[in-house]
PDB file of all heavy atoms in Angstrom:
ATOM      1  N   TRP O 419     -13.658   5.349  -0.950  1.00  0.00           N
ATOM      2  CA  TRP O 419     -13.009   4.653  -2.073  1.00  0.00           C
ATOM      3  C   TRP O 419     -12.417   3.330  -1.606  1.00  0.00           C
ATOM      4  O   TRP O 419     -12.530   2.308  -2.297  1.00  0.00           O
ATOM      5  CB  TRP O 419     -11.891   5.513  -2.657  1.00  0.00           C
ATOM      6  CG  TRP O 419     -12.260   6.865  -3.178  1.00  0.00           C
ATOM      7  CD1 TRP O 419     -11.729   8.062  -2.780  1.00  0.00           C
ATOM      8  CD2 TRP O 419     -13.201   7.197  -4.211  1.00  0.00           C
ATOM      9  NE1 TRP O 419     -12.274   9.092  -3.478  1.00  0.00           N
ATOM     10  CE2 TRP O 419     -13.191   8.594  -4.374  1.00  0.00           C
ATOM     11  CE3 TRP O 419     -14.069   6.435  -4.994  1.00  0.00           C
ATOM     12  CZ2 TRP O 419     -13.988   9.257  -5.297  1.00  0.00           C
ATOM     13  CZ3 TRP O 419     -14.880   7.084  -5.912  1.00  0.00           C
ATOM     14  CH2 TRP O 419     -14.845   8.473  -6.067  1.00  0.00           C
ATOM     15  N   LEU O 455     -20.158   8.879  -3.595  1.00  0.00           N
ATOM     16  CA  LEU O 455     -18.823   9.451  -3.801  1.00  0.00           C
ATOM     17  C   LEU O 455     -18.787  10.353  -5.022  1.00  0.00           C
ATOM     18  O   LEU O 455     -18.216  11.450  -4.993  1.00  0.00           O
ATOM     19  CB  LEU O 455     -17.804   8.322  -3.943  1.00  0.00           C
ATOM     20  CG  LEU O 455     -17.468   7.567  -2.641  1.00  0.00           C
ATOM     21  CD1 LEU O 455     -16.866   6.210  -2.937  1.00  0.00           C
ATOM     22  CD2 LEU O 455     -16.517   8.399  -1.780  1.00  0.00           C
ATOM     23  N   ASN O 456     -19.395   9.910  -6.095  1.00  0.00           N
ATOM     24  CA  ASN O 456     -19.364  10.690  -7.334  1.00  0.00           C
ATOM     25  C   ASN O 456     -20.277  11.906  -7.290  1.00  0.00           C
ATOM     26  O   ASN O 456     -19.979  12.936  -7.896  1.00  0.00           O
ATOM     27  CB  ASN O 456     -19.741   9.794  -8.515  1.00  0.00           C
ATOM     28  CG  ASN O 456     -18.596   8.905  -8.971  1.00  0.00           C
ATOM     29  OD1 ASN O 456     -17.643   9.373  -9.576  1.00  0.00           O
ATOM     30  ND2 ASN O 456     -18.686   7.616  -8.664  1.00  0.00           N
ATOM     31  N   CYS O 459     -19.221  14.205  -3.512  1.00  0.00           N
ATOM     32  CA  CYS O 459     -17.831  14.533  -3.181  1.00  0.00           C
ATOM     33  C   CYS O 459     -17.081  15.205  -4.318  1.00  0.00           C
ATOM     34  O   CYS O 459     -15.898  15.541  -4.163  1.00  0.00           O
ATOM     35  CB  CYS O 459     -17.084  13.256  -2.764  1.00  0.00           C
ATOM     36  SG  CYS O 459     -17.925  12.371  -1.441  1.00  0.00           S
ATOM     37  N   TRP O 460     -17.711  15.385  -5.459  1.00  0.00           N
ATOM     38  CA  TRP O 460     -17.054  16.036  -6.586  1.00  0.00           C
ATOM     39  C   TRP O 460     -17.072  17.547  -6.378  1.00  0.00           C
ATOM     40  O   TRP O 460     -18.117  18.138  -6.112  1.00  0.00           O
ATOM     41  CB  TRP O 460     -17.739  15.655  -7.891  1.00  0.00           C
ATOM     42  CG  TRP O 460     -17.068  16.209  -9.112  1.00  0.00           C
ATOM     43  CD1 TRP O 460     -17.594  17.106  -9.999  1.00  0.00           C
ATOM     44  CD2 TRP O 460     -15.753  15.896  -9.597  1.00  0.00           C
ATOM     45  NE1 TRP O 460     -16.685  17.371 -10.998  1.00  0.00           N
ATOM     46  CE2 TRP O 460     -15.554  16.650 -10.778  1.00  0.00           C
ATOM     47  CE3 TRP O 460     -14.729  15.077  -9.140  1.00  0.00           C
ATOM     48  CZ2 TRP O 460     -14.365  16.595 -11.499  1.00  0.00           C
ATOM     49  CZ3 TRP O 460     -13.549  15.016  -9.859  1.00  0.00           C
ATOM     50  CH2 TRP O 460     -13.381  15.770 -11.022  1.00  0.00           C
ATOM     51  N   ASP O 461     -15.895  18.159  -6.510  1.00  0.00           N
ATOM     52  CA  ASP O 461     -15.771  19.586  -6.220  1.00  0.00           C
ATOM     53  C   ASP O 461     -15.578  20.411  -7.492  1.00  0.00           C
ATOM     54  O   ASP O 461     -15.179  21.570  -7.432  1.00  0.00           O
ATOM     55  CB  ASP O 461     -14.590  19.817  -5.272  1.00  0.00           C
ATOM     56  CG  ASP O 461     -14.696  21.147  -4.532  1.00  0.00           C
ATOM     57  OD1 ASP O 461     -15.709  21.366  -3.852  1.00  0.00           O
ATOM     58  OD2 ASP O 461     -13.770  21.972  -4.656  1.00  0.00           O
ATOM     59  N   TRP O 464     -11.807  18.171  -8.782  1.00  0.00           N
ATOM     60  CA  TRP O 464     -11.242  17.041  -8.044  1.00  0.00           C
ATOM     61  C   TRP O 464     -12.228  16.605  -6.975  1.00  0.00           C
ATOM     62  O   TRP O 464     -13.273  17.227  -6.762  1.00  0.00           O
ATOM     63  CB  TRP O 464      -9.904  17.416  -7.406  1.00  0.00           C
ATOM     64  CG  TRP O 464      -9.911  18.614  -6.506  1.00  0.00           C
ATOM     65  CD1 TRP O 464     -10.363  18.665  -5.210  1.00  0.00           C
ATOM     66  CD2 TRP O 464      -9.442  19.934  -6.815  1.00  0.00           C
ATOM     67  NE1 TRP O 464     -10.205  19.931  -4.698  1.00  0.00           N
ATOM     68  CE2 TRP O 464      -9.630  20.730  -5.660  1.00  0.00           C
ATOM     69  CE3 TRP O 464      -8.869  20.523  -7.953  1.00  0.00           C
ATOM     70  CZ2 TRP O 464      -9.272  22.068  -5.615  1.00  0.00           C
ATOM     71  CZ3 TRP O 464      -8.511  21.853  -7.903  1.00  0.00           C
ATOM     72  CH2 TRP O 464      -8.714  22.618  -6.743  1.00  0.00           C
ATOM     73  N   PHE O 465     -11.892  15.501  -6.311  1.00  0.00           N
ATOM     74  CA  PHE O 465     -12.745  14.976  -5.246  1.00  0.00           C
ATOM     75  C   PHE O 465     -12.325  15.558  -3.899  1.00  0.00           C
ATOM     76  O   PHE O 465     -11.145  15.731  -3.624  1.00  0.00           O
ATOM     77  CB  PHE O 465     -12.660  13.443  -5.193  1.00  0.00           C
ATOM     78  CG  PHE O 465     -13.352  12.770  -6.344  1.00  0.00           C
ATOM     79  CD1 PHE O 465     -12.619  12.290  -7.420  1.00  0.00           C
ATOM     80  CD2 PHE O 465     -14.730  12.628  -6.360  1.00  0.00           C
ATOM     81  CE1 PHE O 465     -13.239  11.669  -8.493  1.00  0.00           C
ATOM     82  CE2 PHE O 465     -15.369  12.013  -7.434  1.00  0.00           C
ATOM     83  CZ  PHE O 465     -14.617  11.539  -8.507  1.00  0.00           C
ATOM     84  N   ARG O 466     -13.311  15.849  -3.081  1.00  0.00           N
ATOM     85  CA  ARG O 466     -13.043  16.344  -1.738  1.00  0.00           C
ATOM     86  C   ARG O 466     -12.406  15.238  -0.892  1.00  0.00           C
ATOM     87  O   ARG O 466     -12.383  14.075  -1.288  1.00  0.00           O
ATOM     88  CB  ARG O 466     -14.346  16.833  -1.101  1.00  0.00           C
ATOM     89  CG  ARG O 466     -14.908  18.051  -1.828  1.00  0.00           C
ATOM     90  CD  ARG O 466     -16.323  18.391  -1.386  1.00  0.00           C
ATOM     91  NE  ARG O 466     -16.813  19.577  -2.101  1.00  0.00           N
ATOM     92  CZ  ARG O 466     -18.056  20.012  -2.059  1.00  0.00           C
ATOM     93  NH1 ARG O 466     -18.954  19.359  -1.335  1.00  0.00           N
ATOM     94  NH2 ARG O 466     -18.404  21.090  -2.735  1.00  0.00           N
ATOM     95  N   ARG O 467     -11.920  15.613   0.275  1.00  0.00           N
ATOM     96  CA  ARG O 467     -11.202  14.662   1.133  1.00  0.00           C
ATOM     97  C   ARG O 467     -12.071  14.105   2.256  1.00  0.00           C
ATOM     98  O   ARG O 467     -11.947  12.946   2.638  1.00  0.00           O
ATOM     99  CB  ARG O 467      -9.975  15.366   1.747  1.00  0.00           C
ATOM    100  CG  ARG O 467      -9.175  14.547   2.732  1.00  0.00           C
ATOM    101  CD  ARG O 467      -8.623  13.291   2.080  1.00  0.00           C
ATOM    102  NE  ARG O 467      -7.756  12.558   3.003  1.00  0.00           N
ATOM    103  CZ  ARG O 467      -8.171  11.688   3.903  1.00  0.00           C
ATOM    104  NH1 ARG O 467      -9.470  11.448   4.043  1.00  0.00           N
ATOM    105  NH2 ARG O 467      -7.312  11.051   4.677  1.00  0.00           N
ATOM    106  N   GLY O 477     -10.684  19.570   1.657  1.00  0.00           N
ATOM    107  CA  GLY O 477     -10.213  19.219   0.327  1.00  0.00           C
ATOM    108  C   GLY O 477     -11.078  19.802  -0.768  1.00  0.00           C
ATOM    109  O   GLY O 477     -11.229  19.196  -1.838  1.00  0.00           O
ATOM    110  N   ALA O 490      -7.229  11.141  -1.962  1.00  0.00           N
ATOM    111  CA  ALA O 490      -8.630  11.138  -2.383  1.00  0.00           C
ATOM    112  C   ALA O 490      -8.742  11.021  -3.900  1.00  0.00           C
ATOM    113  O   ALA O 490      -9.690  10.431  -4.424  1.00  0.00           O
ATOM    114  CB  ALA O 490      -9.335  12.406  -1.901  1.00  0.00           C
ATOM    115  N   GLN O 491      -7.766  11.559  -4.623  1.00  0.00           N
ATOM    116  CA  GLN O 491      -7.775  11.458  -6.092  1.00  0.00           C
ATOM    117  C   GLN O 491      -7.236  10.089  -6.526  1.00  0.00           C
ATOM    118  O   GLN O 491      -7.810   9.426  -7.401  1.00  0.00           O
ATOM    119  CB  GLN O 491      -6.937  12.568  -6.720  1.00  0.00           C
ATOM    120  CG  GLN O 491      -7.054  13.947  -6.098  1.00  0.00           C
ATOM    121  CD  GLN O 491      -8.469  14.372  -5.768  1.00  0.00           C
ATOM    122  OE1 GLN O 491      -9.397  14.193  -6.561  1.00  0.00           O
ATOM    123  NE2 GLN O 491      -8.663  14.941  -4.574  1.00  0.00           N
ATOM    124  N   ALA O 494      -9.640   7.246  -5.889  1.00  0.00           N
ATOM    125  CA  ALA O 494     -10.809   7.328  -6.774  1.00  0.00           C
ATOM    126  C   ALA O 494     -10.556   6.478  -8.018  1.00  0.00           C
ATOM    127  O   ALA O 494     -11.449   5.792  -8.527  1.00  0.00           O
ATOM    128  CB  ALA O 494     -11.075   8.779  -7.157  1.00  0.00           C
ATOM    129  N   ALA O 500     -14.768   5.738  -9.360  1.00  0.00           N
ATOM    130  CA  ALA O 500     -15.009   7.085  -9.897  1.00  0.00           C
ATOM    131  C   ALA O 500     -15.480   7.022 -11.343  1.00  0.00           C
ATOM    132  O   ALA O 500     -15.062   6.149 -12.118  1.00  0.00           O
ATOM    133  CB  ALA O 500     -13.733   7.911  -9.806  1.00  0.00           C
ATOM    134  N   LYS O 504     -14.410  11.963 -14.512  1.00  0.00           N
ATOM    135  CA  LYS O 504     -14.012  12.633 -13.270  1.00  0.00           C
ATOM    136  C   LYS O 504     -12.654  12.128 -12.795  1.00  0.00           C
ATOM    137  O   LYS O 504     -11.842  12.897 -12.272  1.00  0.00           O
ATOM    138  CB  LYS O 504     -15.078  12.411 -12.197  1.00  0.00           C
ATOM    139  CG  LYS O 504     -16.369  13.187 -12.447  1.00  0.00           C
ATOM    140  CD  LYS O 504     -17.405  12.901 -11.372  1.00  0.00           C
ATOM    141  CE  LYS O 504     -18.671  13.725 -11.618  1.00  0.00           C
ATOM    142  NZ  LYS O 504     -19.749  13.421 -10.644  1.00  0.00           N
ATOM    143  N   ALA O 505     -12.409  10.826 -12.973  1.00  0.00           N
ATOM    144  CA  ALA O 505     -11.129  10.255 -12.547  1.00  0.00           C
ATOM    145  C   ALA O 505      -9.965  10.914 -13.274  1.00  0.00           C
ATOM    146  O   ALA O 505      -8.954  11.280 -12.659  1.00  0.00           O
ATOM    147  CB  ALA O 505     -11.128   8.747 -12.794  1.00  0.00           C
ATOM    148  N   ALA O 508      -9.600  14.512 -12.074  1.00  0.00           N
ATOM    149  CA  ALA O 508      -9.035  14.542 -10.714  1.00  0.00           C
ATOM    150  C   ALA O 508      -7.530  14.312 -10.745  1.00  0.00           C
ATOM    151  O   ALA O 508      -6.769  14.989 -10.044  1.00  0.00           O
ATOM    152  CB  ALA O 508      -9.717  13.496  -9.838  1.00  0.00           C
TER     153      ALA O 508
END
Side-chain angles (χ1 to χ4, degrees):
W419 301 123
L455 287 160
N456 281 287
C459 306
W460 184 244
D461 201 57
W464 55 78
F465 288 101
R466 294 169 179 171
R467 176 60 175 85
Q491 319 316 316
K504 288 178 178 176

